[in-house]
């Protein structure tokens, strides 16, 4: 199985940005954990990060040709982007929405997910473990 892990806007600042909310792990460290975890589960994992909505859409559309599933932390786009929602619906591969922080316990706008209805699940509030749980959810399908 091959899985694409997508990190949305501002996740390139992990380790620096609000460590009390997002932790001190850098994106490179997080990606290393994710790839190693995938390997331990006998699947290949590719990671991708962009701050640009269109680039995220392009990566997801390309993934429909080679990936068996996607784990996506859409960042703020998960609360605002109907383009992202339509893209996920259109690629027709299973997608899991993940968040490092507990979005349900934060600002009211973070409780809204424009992509939840086209994802097979949503995992939030478990820090880096959210990504690993997302991989497991895809593997269990």
């Amino acid at each position: 199985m091959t899985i694409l892990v997508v990190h949305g806007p501002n996740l390139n600042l992990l380790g620096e940005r609000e460590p009390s909310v997002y932790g001190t792990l850098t994106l490179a460290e997080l990606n290393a954990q994710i790839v190693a975890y995938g390997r331990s589960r006998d699947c290949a994992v590719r990671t991708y990060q962009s701050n640009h909505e269109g680039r995220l859409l392009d990566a997801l559309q390309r993934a429909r040709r080679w990936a068996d599933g996607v784990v996506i932390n859409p960042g703020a786009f998960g609360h605002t982007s109907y383009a992202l929602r339509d893209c996920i619906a259109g690629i027709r591969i299973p997608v899991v929405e993940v968040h490092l922080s507990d979005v349900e316990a934060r600002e009211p706008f973070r409780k809204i997910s424009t992509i939840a209805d086209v994802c097979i699940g949503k995992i939030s509030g478990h820090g880096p473990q959210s990504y690993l749980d997302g991989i497991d959810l895809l593997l269990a399908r």
Side-chain angles (χ1 to χ4, degrees):
M1 185 168 196
T2 304
I3 295 172
L4 173 63
V5 174
V6 176
H7 308 282
N10 300 311
L11 288 158
N12 57 307
L13 296 178
L14 286 178
E16 301 173 43
R17 176 184 174 223
E18 299 177 81
S20 62
V21 174
Y22 300 106
T24 57
L25 207 62
T26 67
L27 182 60
E29 293 166 335
L30 176 60
N31 282 337
Q33 280 186 11
I34 292 167
V35 169
Y37 187 77
R39 196 173 304 120
S40 78
R41 294 287 194 255
D42 227 13
C43 70
V45 176
R46 297 184 197 177
T47 62
Y48 179 78
Q49 189 278 328
S50 181
N51 292 318
H52 304 278
E53 185 177 28
R55 289 186 183 154
L56 294 174
L57 301 177
D58 291 342
L60 289 167
Q61 289 176 8
R62 283 190 301 272
R64 81 185 191 286
R65 301 279 186 222
W66 60 264
D68 299 301
V70 174
V71 173
I72 184 168
N73 182 338
F77 289 142
H79 314 299
T80 63
S81 177
Y82 294 105
L84 183 59
R85 184 236 175 260
D86 290 349
C87 179
I88 291 170
I91 62 173
R92 306 182 112 195
I93 56 176
V95 177
V96 178
E97 177 183 4
V98 301
H99 298 276
L100 292 163
S101 68
D102 182 0
V103 292
E104 300 298 323
R106 297 184 61 198
E107 303 91 340
F109 77 89
R110 293 188 195 274
K111 293 177 175 68
I112 298 164
S113 173
T114 59
I115 68 171
D117 70 321
V118 292
C119 291
I120 64 166
K122 178 179 175 180
I123 301 165
S124 69
H126 301 210
Q129 186 66 40
S130 295
Y131 287 90
L132 310 184
D133 292 346
I135 289 171
D136 285 340
L137 184 58
L138 287 172
L139 293 175
R141 256 183 91 83

